[in-house]
Amino acid sequence: MAFDGIFTRAMANELNELLLDGRVMKISQPYANEVILTIRQNRHNYPVLLSAHPNYARVQVTEIPYTNPPVPTNFTMVLRKYLEGAKLVKLEQLNCDRVLNFYFMTRNELGDRLPLVLSIEIMGRYSNIILVEQETNKILDTVKHVGMDQNRYRTLLPGATYKTPPAQTKIDPFLDPDKLYLALVKEYPNREVLATQLIKTYQGLSRQSALQLAKMLHEDQDISASFNAFFEQTKHPQANIFTEKNKLAFDIFTHHTTQQEFATLSEMLDSYYQEKAVRDRVAHQGAKLIHVVKKELSKNQTKLKKLTKELKNTDKADGFRVKGELLTTYLYQVKPNSTSVTLPNYYDDEKPVEIILSPQISPAQNSQKYFKKYQKLKNAVAHIEQQLALTKAEIAYLESVQMQLELAQPSDLNDIELELQTAGYLTQTKQQKKRKPKLSKPESFVATDGTEISVGKNNLQNDRLSLKTAQKNHYWLHVKDIPGSHVIVHSAQPSEETLLQAAGLAAYYSKARGSANVPVDYVQVRHLRKPNGAKPGFVIYEGQKTIYVTPDEALVAKLKK
């Protein structure tokens, strides 16, 4: 779900339990639009992340370490001046909007009480963090300054009078005495349509939340109880991350088949946004590589369809040969200048066969014409089959690179770029040719019994790991017939549990990451062989055994070195 009004209410409830009556001990601003307030409560320090990032705007307690810039920003200095040592006396959501207000009590230079409000507005590219003096309603500073030229209704500058975001005409779902949802459920039996109407009627509902609410309202006979139960879940949310249409999403309501559950909403957001940020950075920094691989893959898939069609056409070759032979046998029956002739087919119980002729040439020349067509198609078969094999190998290779880009960290992109340059998909600059490439190391893991496991993150790593680094009596694992990473268990006699854990890593770092019951082959390294001229990462092997596992992100995190 999005960080909508419903999720904001759930987060407000979570933060109230942790932070209320705590004091601000430290303030930092690691990024331009993100601030961390360290609030101490019950002898524990809670780093509270306030983000006005256009893509990752949120409020949460975070355990991800951040590095402070050497020189604090003006906004940081203002926050430190007013909020260091301040007591958090109240934390509440504005109606059911994506706005959280932190109410602090501190004292000014004269020792007088000074109530302050730190307002965090979670509104995409309009997100902001605003410090307001409560009694005068004057803005002390904002993380993003918004002048009158940008917004005539609402100026967000130091010294300006603070205005709340424009009020919506929608109803706060936590305050609905008229129970408008009862009429909506009766009028709109379709879940999708009902969800749309709920969004139009009630404040704070994203599409995903509205669909979940619509589902509950349709399934339960007691509509009011379902409506109340839905919003009651903001007090005891079930934090989980799941995969939907090949994309990560988070939720506080439902359980999904492929999900990871968390104890708190903040833990869930740490996991979700950390991975999302990595994926977005890879998509941004590796845009050129992604485009090249996608383009080449599309070109080869089109070529494969064309070759498959051509190979199917070669099935007609025997028909041309038969017609040529029939014309030769019954040449005396064929009249000159005929456009067709029907002859008995002695290869098929003398059934009559109509043969189309060219009237401009003789019957004998027509016979030779059919033999030439036959020979041409017969010669084409070997060439087409060779091209088919090459094209399939090319597609398998490009799919492996595409999979590696999907799982890559930003640090892996240099290796993948070098690989594509070596394979001829990208051109190298003179400077790149002179520079000796430095490859990154495979990912390291440790099985529960202490055995080391290595995972190649790209094809160059895979080749070096499997064919140069690994010892001959160690074990190699790879998903069966699917693009994936090479996995090496650094042991000549690994336990069954270690092999299962290594197989889990092989399945996770593969195209079958979101599947269940994934087949993984394993064999000793001595049985691997790389054919001459094969693409990076491609090996053949024999004598393997197969085990079936389901990828588990929790296992990967547990085994990571």
Side-chain angles (χ1 to χ4, degrees):
M1 68 187 296
F3 207 117
D4 59 6
I6 306 304
F7 191 90
T8 303
R9 176 62 61 94
M11 181 56 75
N13 292 335
E14 178 172 297
L15 295 179
N16 259 312
E17 289 184 16
L18 292 176
L19 307 176
L20 204 59
D21 295 329
R23 289 192 180 274
V24 179
M25 306 303 293
K26 185 180 176 183
I27 299 170
S28 57
Q29 190 176 350
Y31 299 109
N33 299 322
E34 296 183 332
V35 171
I36 293 181
L37 300 183
T38 301
I39 298 179
R40 187 166 182 81
Q41 169 64 317
N42 288 332
R43 293 182 292 180
H44 185 87
N45 289 336
Y46 294 97
V48 183
L49 172 65
L50 314 175
S51 176
H53 190 286
N55 297 322
Y56 315 132
R58 64 196 188 278
V59 180
Q60 64 166 110
V61 173
T62 183
E63 295 301 327
I64 298 175
Y66 289 91
T67 304
N68 284 327
V71 180
T73 65
N74 289 336
F75 185 62
T76 305
M77 296 301 290
V78 171
L79 291 182
R80 288 175 180 174
K81 176 183 176 181
Y82 287 97
L83 291 184
E84 278 190 345
K87 183 179 180 180
L88 180 64
V89 294
K90 187 168 66 169
L91 192 161
E92 67 178 14
Q93 180 186 21
L94 177 64
N95 301 323
C96 192
D97 208 347
R98 293 167 295 167
V99 178
L100 267 180
N101 291 325
F102 287 69
Y103 292 86
F104 292 98
M105 183 59 69
T106 187
R107 293 187 181 274
N108 60 20
E109 294 89 340
L110 300 175
D112 297 328
R113 290 164 62 88
L114 180 64
L116 300 168
V117 182
L118 187 64
S119 183
I120 297 88
E121 300 176 357
I122 305 162
M123 299 179 179
R125 63 193 181 97
Y126 300 108
S127 299
N128 214 331
I129 305 171
I130 307 161
L131 182 62
V132 180
E133 188 175 329
Q134 193 175 351
E135 289 181 346
T136 62
N137 206 33
K138 293 293 182 184
I139 295 174
L140 296 173
D141 205 355
T142 67
V143 77
K144 297 178 187 175
H145 290 184
V146 180
M148 286 193 65
D149 56 332
Q150 296 172 273
N151 190 331
R152 291 186 178 182
Y153 169 79
R154 197 165 176 248
T155 301
L156 298 176
L157 292 172
T161 300
Y162 174 71
K163 289 183 179 179
T164 58
Q168 298 183 33
T169 56
K170 299 179 184 180
I171 298 168
D172 184 340
F174 292 92
L175 304 169
D176 179 24
D178 297 329
K179 298 184 178 181
L180 297 180
Y181 53 85
L182 294 173
L184 292 177
V185 173
K186 290 180 182 178
E187 189 174 350
Y188 302 104
N190 180 278
R191 180 189 173 196
E192 297 279 341
V193 179
L194 176 58
T196 301
Q197 295 303 317
L198 288 169
I199 292 170
K200 291 179 179 179
T201 306
Y202 293 103
Q203 189 180 25
L205 289 174
S206 64
R207 184 70 185 172
Q208 188 178 333
S209 296
L211 284 169
Q212 178 65 21
L213 176 56
K215 180 183 177 184
M216 290 179 66
L217 294 178
H218 276 154
E219 287 178 349
D220 200 333
Q221 291 183 346
D222 191 339
I223 297 172
S224 292
S226 290
F227 187 86
N228 293 331
F230 176 85
F231 291 99
E232 188 69 18
Q233 286 180 92
T234 58
K235 294 180 181 178
H236 44 81
Q238 297 173 326
N240 63 86
I241 292 176
F242 60 97
T243 304
E244 186 174 66
K245 296 180 181 178
N246 220 22
K247 290 184 178 180
L248 281 181
F250 62 85
D251 203 346
I252 66 169
F253 301 120
T254 56
H255 288 276
H256 305 267
T257 53
T258 56
Q259 72 167 20
Q260 184 181 359
E261 296 183 19
F262 298 86
T264 67
L265 300 180
S266 291
E267 286 179 22
M268 177 190 73
L269 292 181
D270 263 353
S271 177
Y272 175 80
Y273 280 104
Q274 188 173 30
E275 185 160 351
K276 179 175 170 57
V278 167
R279 288 190 181 187
D280 288 353
R281 281 199 293 272
V282 168
H284 176 70
Q285 296 175 18
K288 181 181 176 183
L289 308 182
I290 294 168
H291 174 73
V292 167
V293 172
K294 189 176 180 181
K295 180 182 174 183
E296 290 293 330
L297 193 54
S298 177
K299 185 172 76 175
N300 278 278
Q301 286 168 340
T302 302
K303 184 179 178 182
L304 181 65
K305 289 179 183 178
K306 184 180 177 183
L307 288 169
T308 304
K309 187 177 179 181
E310 287 179 2
L311 186 64
K312 192 174 182 181
N313 289 337
T314 61
D315 294 342
K316 301 175 183 177
D318 279 340
F320 291 141
R321 177 184 58 79
V322 169
K323 288 178 180 180
E325 289 183 2
L326 292 177
L327 283 172
T328 302
T329 303
Y330 299 107
L331 203 59
Y332 64 92
Q333 294 185 21
V334 183
K335 296 178 181 179
N337 303 322
S338 298
T339 56
S340 68
V341 64
T342 301
L343 300 172
N345 183 0
Y346 45 75
Y347 288 110
D348 190 15
D349 297 330
E350 301 296 325
K351 289 181 181 177
V353 176
E354 184 182 15
I355 302 173
I356 304 300
L357 302 173
S358 297
Q360 300 88 351
I361 58 178
S362 68
Q365 288 173 319
N366 268 295
S367 174
Q368 289 304 310
K369 186 177 178 181
Y370 274 104
F371 281 126
K372 284 178 181 177
K373 284 183 178 180
Y374 161 70
Q375 198 60 45
K376 185 178 179 181
L377 286 177
K378 187 180 177 184
N379 293 339
V381 170
H383 174 72
I384 293 171
E385 286 179 343
Q386 182 187 23
Q387 289 298 310
L388 270 172
L390 290 171
T391 304
K392 286 178 181 177
E394 193 85 355
I395 289 172
Y397 169 71
L398 290 166
E399 284 181 341
S400 74
V401 177
Q402 190 178 58
M403 180 275 302
Q404 288 156 10
L405 283 167
E406 289 173 1
L407 300 178
Q409 299 287 324
S411 58
D412 299 324
L413 295 177
N414 288 336
D415 286 0
I416 297 174
E417 182 179 17
L418 175 62
E419 180 185 335
L420 292 174
Q421 288 172 344
T422 306
Y425 297 105
L426 289 172
T427 54
Q428 281 182 302
T429 63
K430 290 182 180 179
Q431 192 175 6
Q432 286 173 325
K433 288 178 181 177
K434 289 179 182 177
R435 193 188 313 140
K436 189 176 180 180
K438 186 179 180 182
L439 299 181
S440 59
K441 294 181 179 180
E443 203 79 35
S444 294
F445 298 85
V446 179
T448 50
D449 65 0
T451 304
E452 287 199 18
I453 303 172
S454 296
V455 177
K457 296 290 291 297
N458 55 68
N459 286 316
L460 294 181
Q461 280 187 11
N462 287 336
D463 273 357
R464 186 176 57 182
L465 176 63
S466 301
L467 304 173
K468 294 183 180 179
T469 307
Q471 295 181 28
K472 298 295 181 183
N473 60 349
H474 288 175
Y475 276 81
W476 176 90
L477 299 93
H478 193 281
V479 284
K480 191 179 188 68
D481 302 327
I482 300 172
S485 294
H486 292 203
V487 176
I488 297 293
V489 176
H490 297 280
S491 171
Q493 294 180 323
S495 65
E496 185 177 340
E497 183 184 16
T498 296
L499 281 174
L500 279 169
Q501 290 175 348
L505 293 173
Y508 181 82
Y509 288 100
S510 78
K511 201 173 181 180
R513 187 178 197 170
S515 306
N517 208 30
V518 179
V520 177
D521 288 341
Y522 68 97
V523 69
Q524 280 190 311
V525 173
R526 69 175 80 253
H527 297 295
L528 299 179
R529 187 166 61 85
K530 189 173 186 69
N532 291 333
K535 293 281 187 185
F538 180 80
V539 294
I540 56 177
Y541 52 93
E542 56 187 16
Q544 74 276 9
K545 293 181 180 178
T546 305
I547 47 181
Y548 291 82
V549 292
T550 297
D552 183 0
E553 190 172 357
L555 173 69
V556 176
K558 179 183 174 183
L559 301 182
K560 198 156 188 177
K561 193 171 180 179

